[in-house]
Amino acid sequence: MSINLSHIQDAYERIKPQIHRTPIMRSREINSLLGCELYFKAENLQKVGAFKARGGCNAVFSMDTESLAKGVITHSSGNHGAALAWAAALRGANCTVVMPENAPQVKKQAVRGYGAKVIECIPTMADRVAAVAEEIQATGSTLVHPYDNEQIIAGQGTVALEALEQLGSFPDIIITPVGSGGLLAGTAIAAHAIAQNSGKTISVIGAEPRGASDAWQGFTSGQRVENQVPKTIADGLRSTLGISNFSIITEQVNDIVLASEQAIVEAMRLVWMRMKIVIEPSAAVAVAAVMENREIFSGKRVAIILSGGNVDLDALPW
Amino acid sequence: MSINLSHIQDAYERIKPQIHRTPIMRSREINSLLGCELYFKAENLQKVGAFKARGGCNAVFSMDTESLAKGVITHSSGNHGAALAWAAALRGANCTVVMPENAPQVKKQAVRGYGAKVIECIPTMADRVAAVAEEIQATGSTLVHPYDNEQIIAGQGTVALEALEQLGSFPDIIITPVGSGGLLAGTAIAAHAIAQNSGKTISVIGAEPRGASDAWQGFTSGQRVENQVPKTIADGLRSTLGISNFSIITEQVNDIVLASEQAIVEAMRLVWMRMKIVIEPSAAVAVAAVMENREIFSGKRVAIILSGGNVDLDALPW
């Protein structure tokens, strides 16, 4: 699998009519608190409340009518499932999402709300995969893997493409949360290629919870971690880094930095309070990582991808 | 006092460099739920988290240097106080805000955060006024009344001016929350004059909590209500309708509609969930009023002013 800027540009042309061009927001208070100039790309305001609308839409809109008639299927802790359900509905296709039984209610409801079928499973990757295989055998539906999929990675890369277009001038750093790695991989491919075309450089950094640091461990050791037991409030980042994502990230990402659970909650609250937008814990991880790694970001212009805003309002962490 | 469109246009030129041009947001889900086409003017994303930045800024930037040197003072349950403090700081002036002791902590903190002095008082209008008079005698500072003030009304009217500019084509209705009435009065003046200049008509509607319905009572009876005891979660709408605001509203507003406390909380939650933005209860009142008065809004294009986003995250109503 080899994805380059032109795949991301093609994806952008394909999905543009369906998605929101989300705003870049700023906060003087947060800048002065964190000692750098932050440009928040608000993908929490994206369709389905997360950047995953981009990948899901690109995958579904790349499919031919015949395959699509048999439906699509995926496994997801939440946002990718909602994204695929939403995109499938746009093309009138059936969609099934296998979800771990401990996924937030609000995310299960969202998937059902877009008309997809939810199959609940035990929250391990093995169970997810088994449930998907069974359903595919029964229906002949097409698996749209949540991250190990070229169309998904290319779709997620359009966030950086769009953000750099909006910013006009180059930031020093672009930081994104990293869970399964589709967003970070797509961002690295897009940002480095666009910078290079203008004779510039940009640092692409991933942000991960300390309690689910498989990407950081793999990035540091060169060895992909396969069996982590995640312990983090950031439910979107509990999954393990995908195989192809791991190789793209190892080659193209400049650094991965960590955030504590305490900082994640503090960052989430800070953004709600100061910016008046709802972000989910996974999105707050990138803000928390800036908080806890000041030496890297101090005085820099930093584009930060707020990945999503799907939060259970009845179970807030404060 | 006679305010017309040109005062509002002048105010807009005066404050434009200081304020945000807030976005107009949409939600397909909320439209289909409420059966009309809503255009949300997101003043919760305004400076100080509320439209009151506009009035406060217009008042302070209209003052001469000599008066300003003695400082400004106001009484406010919150957002107007923060707005005045913020605007005074922009011009390096002292600011004092008399606040009822039961105002949300987050609002008191905000006022102090902009460098203003807070004087707490018993939460009645008489006590507020007495505390202000005492301070003026001591300092010679200028009262910027929270609503019975031409500059304030003209400043608040810029929300509608800007929204109609952004929308391009005319909505059927524009609805705003009504507390002391500055926003509703300014909106009525701006919207009717702009519509008339284009040979159109527009219906301007105020939304008020049932538990603080002095504006509705006054509008219905023609007699301004002076001593209401407000009982509503919408802390920004607990104040009584101003005298000049009452006369503008009686003459120029098409209707005032009411919302129950239950609908206010439901509407607040709905906007947080679906639109991923933080709005305060007072802003939710307009959405709640649309929910509970469907016959008025059904099938219409409705511009709705989300007045602010200053909420105590530790005391959410669900």
Side-chain angles (χ1 to χ4, degrees):
Chain A
M1 166 153 51
S2 167
I3 305 165
N4 59 38
L5 180 58
S6 75
H7 297 113
I8 296 173
Q9 288 164 329
D10 290 349
Y12 195 49
E13 288 311 310
R14 191 173 294 126
I15 69 177
K16 224 181 194 173
Q18 315 298 336
I19 62 162
H20 289 309
R21 186 176 170 93
T22 57
I24 297 213
M25 300 180 73
R26 308 199 52 192
S27 164
R28 206 178 293 183
E29 291 90 351
I30 299 183
N31 284 349
S32 90
L33 213 60
L34 301 191
C36 54
E37 220 179 303
L38 294 165
Y39 297 83
F40 296 93
K41 175 67 173 164
E43 285 290 300
N44 57 324
L45 306 180
Q46 188 51 268
K47 292 277 182 183
V48 317
F51 73 93
K52 301 229 171 181
R54 295 171 183 263
C57 186
N58 190 42
V60 168
F61 280 73
S62 299
M63 284 175 69
D64 61 60
T65 325
E66 203 180 337
S67 310
L68 202 63
K70 294 182 187 158
V72 289
I73 181 167
T74 195
H75 55 91
S76 163
S77 62
N79 284 334
H80 171 67
L84 193 68
W86 163 76
L90 286 179
R91 289 194 67 187
N94 286 330
C95 177
T96 303
V97 182
V98 173
M99 301 185 80
E101 55 195 15
N102 65 349
Q105 275 306 325
V106 62
K107 294 194 173 181
K108 287 183 203 160
Q109 280 162 11
V111 169
R112 291 195 186 101
Y114 293 114
K117 181 169 117 185
V118 171
I119 299 179
E120 298 200 13
C121 73
I122 297 167
T124 69
M125 198 46 77
D127 279 279
R128 285 193 192 192
V129 170
V132 167
E134 198 178 316
E135 184 75 9
I136 289 178
Q137 200 155 34
T139 59
S141 57
T142 299
L143 171 64
V144 180
H145 195 277
Y147 42 86
D148 262 331
N149 174 310
E150 291 194 26
Q151 261 87 32
I152 293 295
I153 298 173
Q156 320 305 34
T158 65
V159 182
L161 186 77
E162 190 176 273
L164 292 174
E165 198 176 287
Q166 288 169 301
L167 282 172
S169 70
F170 269 84
D172 301 306
I173 297 172
I174 185 164
I175 182 169
T176 86
V178 51
S180 47
L183 177 62
L184 181 57
T187 299
I189 294 166
H192 286 311
I194 295 167
Q196 203 167 25
N197 288 349
S198 317
K200 307 264 184 183
T201 58
I202 186 168
S203 182
V204 177
I205 298 182
E208 201 174 33
R210 278 189 194 283
S213 64
D214 64 305
W216 176 80
Q217 288 173 50
F219 185 78
T220 308
S221 69
Q223 197 68 36
R224 181 170 161 267
V225 173
E226 290 188 46
N227 290 308
Q228 73 167 344
V229 182
K231 270 197 154 174
T232 176
I233 188 183
D235 55 281
L237 308 183
R238 289 183 194 139
S239 52
T240 305
L241 202 60
I243 294 172
S244 46
N245 299 340
F246 177 68
S247 93
I248 296 169
I249 288 170
T250 310
E251 277 171 33
Q252 301 208 29
V253 165
N254 298 83
D255 204 356
I256 294 182
V257 293
L258 299 175
S260 70
E261 293 298 295
Q262 193 192 332
I264 295 168
V265 175
E266 198 183 318
M268 181 172 158
R269 202 181 150 95
L270 180 70
V271 168
W272 287 40
M273 280 272 289
R274 295 296 180 174
M275 299 178 64
K276 314 300 179 196
I277 54 174
V278 172
I279 62 167
E280 59 183 85
S282 301
V285 167
V287 184
V290 173
M291 265 183 189
E292 292 194 320
N293 297 275
R294 304 246 176 158
E295 67 290 357
I296 297 175
F297 302 95
S298 174
K300 297 287 201 314
R301 295 179 74 232
V302 183
I304 187 164
I305 299 175
L306 296 176
S307 48
N310 294 318
V311 179
D312 190 340
L313 292 177
D314 292 317
L316 295 177
W318 53 74
Chain B
M1 166 152 51
S2 167
I3 305 166
N4 59 38
L5 180 58
S6 75
H7 297 115
I8 296 173
Q9 287 164 330
D10 289 348
Y12 194 49
E13 288 311 309
R14 192 173 292 125
I15 69 177
K16 223 183 198 173
Q18 315 297 338
I19 62 161
H20 290 309
R21 187 177 170 92
T22 57
I24 296 209
M25 300 179 74
R26 309 198 53 192
S27 164
R28 203 177 296 183
E29 290 90 352
I30 299 181
N31 284 350
S32 92
L33 214 58
L34 300 191
C36 54
E37 220 178 306
L38 294 165
Y39 297 82
F40 296 93
K41 174 68 172 163
E43 284 290 298
N44 58 324
L45 305 180
Q46 188 50 270
K47 294 275 182 186
V48 318
F51 74 92
K52 301 229 171 180
R54 295 171 183 263
C57 186
N58 189 43
V60 168
F61 281 73
S62 300
M63 283 176 70
D64 62 62
T65 324
E66 203 180 337
S67 310
L68 202 62
K70 294 183 189 158
V72 290
I73 182 167
T74 195
H75 55 89
S76 162
S77 63
N79 284 334
H80 172 67
L84 193 68
W86 162 77
L90 287 179
R91 289 193 69 187
N94 287 330
C95 177
T96 303
V97 182
V98 173
M99 300 184 80
E101 54 196 14
N102 65 348
Q105 274 308 324
V106 63
K107 295 196 172 178
K108 288 181 201 161
Q109 281 161 13
V111 169
R112 291 196 186 101
Y114 294 114
K117 182 169 116 184
V118 171
I119 298 178
E120 299 200 11
C121 73
I122 296 165
T124 69
M125 197 47 77
D127 279 279
R128 285 192 191 194
V129 170
V132 166
E134 197 178 317
E135 184 74 8
I136 289 177
Q137 199 156 34
T139 61
S141 57
T142 299
L143 171 64
V144 180
H145 195 278
Y147 42 86
D148 261 331
N149 175 310
E150 291 193 26
Q151 263 85 32
I152 294 295
I153 298 173
Q156 320 305 34
T158 66
V159 181
L161 186 75
E162 191 176 275
L164 293 175
E165 200 177 286
Q166 289 169 301
L167 282 173
S169 69
F170 269 82
D172 301 305
I173 298 172
I174 184 163
I175 181 168
T176 88
V178 52
S180 48
L183 177 63
L184 181 57
T187 298
I189 295 166
H192 287 309
I194 295 168
Q196 203 167 26
N197 288 349
S198 315
K200 309 265 184 181
T201 58
I202 185 169
S203 180
V204 177
I205 298 182
E208 201 174 33
R210 278 188 194 282
S213 64
D214 64 304
W216 175 81
Q217 288 173 49
F219 184 78
T220 309
S221 69
Q223 197 69 35
R224 180 169 161 268
V225 173
E226 290 187 47
N227 290 309
Q228 74 167 343
V229 182
K231 269 196 156 178
T232 175
I233 189 182
D235 55 282
L237 308 184
R238 288 182 195 139
S239 50
T240 305
L241 203 60
I243 296 173
S244 46
N245 299 339
F246 176 69
S247 93
I248 297 169
I249 287 169
T250 309
E251 278 171 32
Q252 301 208 29
V253 164
N254 299 82
D255 203 357
I256 294 182
V257 292
L258 299 174
S260 70
E261 293 298 295
Q262 193 192 333
I264 294 168
V265 174
E266 197 183 320
M268 182 172 159
R269 203 182 148 95
L270 180 70
V271 168
W272 287 39
M273 280 272 290
R274 295 295 180 175
M275 297 177 67
K276 313 300 179 194
I277 55 174
V278 172
I279 62 166
E280 59 184 87
S282 301
V285 168
V287 184
V290 173
M291 263 181 190
E292 292 193 322
N293 296 275
R294 304 247 175 156
E295 67 290 358
I296 296 175
F297 302 95
S298 174
K300 297 287 200 317
R301 295 179 72 234
V302 183
I304 185 163
I305 298 177
L306 296 177
S307 48
N310 295 317
V311 179
D312 189 340
L313 292 178
D314 293 316
L316 295 177
W318 53 74

